[in-house]
Amino acid sequence: MKHTWLYCTVFLTGAAVMVIELLGTRLIAPFYGASLYVWTSVISVTLIALALGYFIGGRWADQSKRTGLALIIALSGFLTLLVPWLTGPVLLATDPLGLRMGTFVSTLVLFTPSLLMLGMVGPFAVKLATSSLDGVGASTGSIYAVSTVGSVIGTLFLGFYLFPQVGSREIFIGLGIGLLLLSLCVAFFERNRIKPVVALPPVAVLIVISILCLPYIADSGKQIIGNENYQTRFERESLYGWVRVIDNPADNYRLLTVDASTIGAASISHGENVLTYQQIVTFLPALAPDMRRALLIGQGAGHMAMTLKQYGIRTDTLEIDPVVSEAARDYFDFEATGKTIIGDARYEIRKLQGPYDLIIMDVFTGGSEPVHLLTVESMRQLQSLLSDRGIMTLNFVAFLEDGKNAALASVAKTLAQVFPYQIALISEPDREFNDFIFIASDHPVNPEADTLSPAQRIWLKQRRVNLDQNYGVILTDNLNPLESLQTRKSEYYRWMIVDSIGLNYFVR
């Protein structure tokens, strides 16, 4: 039991590694999105930093006589504290590199230093726990097992408890302070190997510097200067992103955003919806008369549900983010006409009871793609909830490319595997980058039906597009390259949003 303090140390530093890795995505996401590229970059950088830490730490442990774990942990705490302070400047500096390279480089710069130092803890701990070659195997296995258990506990504690209660910047600051305090404890327990008069001064210097920097670090997130034309009415970090309500009084519109993706927009003066593609909802009751019940997946600001209410249609809404639902209610006057369901669509739709006369899926914004919602398997789940005369509508953001865009073609091809009939519409006919509306069903849908007004028939006719499905692939739970097919779209959309609102709005 003489090494109990050592096992506690590797347990806590193992937990710190996973906290930094998971929170890293939350600091990057408001600027670069929560895409596969962000996760890939953070995981890759974590592995790179740990590998370097193991290598350097092993050599340092063998050669060092006057430094030990206390200094390494103090350095990791100090470097962790700096992360929230450096996030804004680093993200702004890497923006010209584009989505993929910018994500990787910013992650590399921000998180490598602290993770490298934490990676050095393991080799040092093995050195301290090993008294002879006979016990090196057991000591090494025990050290890394305890560290891994710490990582597991840290992951669960962060995801299930801490993060829903505390912001990511505050957690980073708290973690840095915790590691600095841990280094003082380790210096005490290391006193038989390194005298406190030798071990404590560098640790004390790092703690003093950290204390002096702490006010500036704490205030760094509040010093963001945004576009003066925009006013932030509401902002809160949720489990799924940074949710904001942003007003532009000069142009009379209000935005609902998650990270750098707009999911709702309305005029400030009258509150009416200003997103063109959502006009399709006024046509749907005429395309399939006698609608009574609808399901809206991706509530956003809730305008489509409120429009359907005018036609006597009761709409259940399904929204993954409770903060989005709150913002829609408080700032866009959304009033539920059916059940309000909070959760991930793939999980929640398994529990729904149909039939629905209309299902609207509006989750594919210009930001990251929830690709698991657009597969053959997902479409079949939705198909099973439709009534005999029901229709499904899906909004998708992409480039047209003369109907040969691989992502658009893949959506059409995937829907065709489930629904025998579909219509594709473009929101703004004169633009290359657009919202596309797919209407799919088990029965023919006539865009020139007598139930439509002449103006509605003209509107639909002007927006019909033909997509060449030969350029697409069938999207399944097993193979779904949609996110990679949409890389250009994500980069362009992000550029378009940040260019209008300002980069600083997306730095936390």
Side-chain angles (χ1 to χ4, degrees), residues 190-456:
E190 277 190 310
R191 65 189 184 280
N192 292 330
R193 177 176 177 268
I194 303 175
K195 293 180 180 180
V197 70
V198 175
L200 283 177
V203 171
V205 169
L206 287 170
I207 291 176
V208 170
I209 294 174
S210 299
I211 292 172
L212 294 175
C213 292
L214 193 57
Y216 301 98
I217 297 171
D219 290 339
S220 60
K222 303 174 184 177
Q223 297 172 357
I224 304 303
I225 301 174
N227 189 324
E228 61 182 11
N229 293 326
Y230 291 88
Q231 302 172 1
T232 301
R233 295 289 306 279
F234 170 86
E235 61 179 336
R236 185 185 303 168
E237 188 175 18
S238 75
L239 287 173
Y240 303 98
W242 198 271
V243 181
R244 291 183 180 90
V245 176
I246 304 172
D247 281 359
N248 185 327
D251 293 328
N252 189 34
Y253 67 82
R254 171 174 294 172
L255 301 176
L256 175 59
T257 67
V258 178
D259 293 332
S261 183
T262 299
I263 61 172
S267 69
I268 298 174
S269 57
H270 298 92
E272 70 269 16
N273 175 40
V274 297
L275 295 178
T276 304
Y277 80 89
Q278 292 190 3
Q279 291 181 18
I280 187 66
V281 77
T282 62
F283 296 29
L284 298 177
L287 283 173
D290 301 323
M291 284 186 179
R292 291 291 179 268
R293 190 179 180 213
L295 171 66
L296 173 60
I297 302 173
Q299 172 192 299
H303 289 118
M304 288 192 284
M306 296 300 291
T307 299
L308 291 173
K309 179 183 179 181
Q310 300 172 14
Y311 295 89
I313 299 172
R314 177 178 176 270
T315 305
D316 295 339
T317 58
L318 206 168
E319 171 59 52
I320 192 171
D321 196 332
V323 180
V324 168
S325 184
E326 177 185 340
R329 182 187 68 242
D330 295 343
Y331 294 91
F332 293 87
D333 299 324
F334 170 68
E335 294 181 3
T337 60
K339 293 188 296 184
T340 299
I341 306 163
I342 303 297
D344 189 280
R346 278 299 291 270
Y347 175 76
E348 296 296 339
I349 60 178
R350 295 201 302 267
K351 301 187 294 182
L352 293 176
Q353 297 293 323
Y356 290 101
D357 304 306
L358 170 65
I359 295 177
I360 301 173
M361 182 177 284
D362 187 19
V363 296
F364 296 94
T365 66
S368 58
E369 305 279 4
V371 296
H372 65 297
L373 298 182
L374 187 42
T375 64
V376 169
E377 293 84 354
S378 177
M379 293 301 104
R380 284 177 177 153
Q381 285 182 307
L382 294 175
Q383 183 189 41
S384 68
L385 294 175
L386 285 172
S387 63
D388 292 339
R389 299 292 297 171
I391 61 175
M392 197 196 83
T393 304
L394 183 147
N395 175 60
F396 192 77
V397 181
F399 290 93
L400 178 58
E401 297 177 1
D402 295 324
K404 298 176 182 179
N405 180 284
L408 272 178
S410 296
V411 174
K413 197 167 188 175
T414 301
L415 287 172
Q417 295 297 304
V418 180
F419 297 98
Y421 301 96
Q422 68 171 273
I423 297 171
L425 304 168
I426 188 169
S427 178
E428 303 282 353
D430 56 343
R431 290 170 47 199
E432 174 70 11
F433 183 71
N434 235 302
D435 286 276
F436 294 85
I437 304 103
F438 292 85
I439 301 174
S441 66
D442 292 325
H443 56 83
V445 175
N446 183 7
E448 298 182 0
D450 293 337
T451 50
L452 292 162
S453 70
Q456 289 177 325

Side-chain angles (χ1 to χ4, degrees), residues 121-166:
V121 172
F124 255 88
V126 170
K127 181 77 172 182
L128 293 175
T130 304
S131 56
S132 68
L133 289 177
D134 291 338
V136 68
S139 297
T140 302
S142 298
I143 290 294
Y144 283 99
V146 171
S147 177
T148 302
V149 171
S151 296
V152 172
I153 299 300
T155 302
L156 293 173
F157 180 70
L158 175 68
F160 289 172
Y161 176 74
L162 190 58
F163 190 77
Q165 309 295 326
V166 185

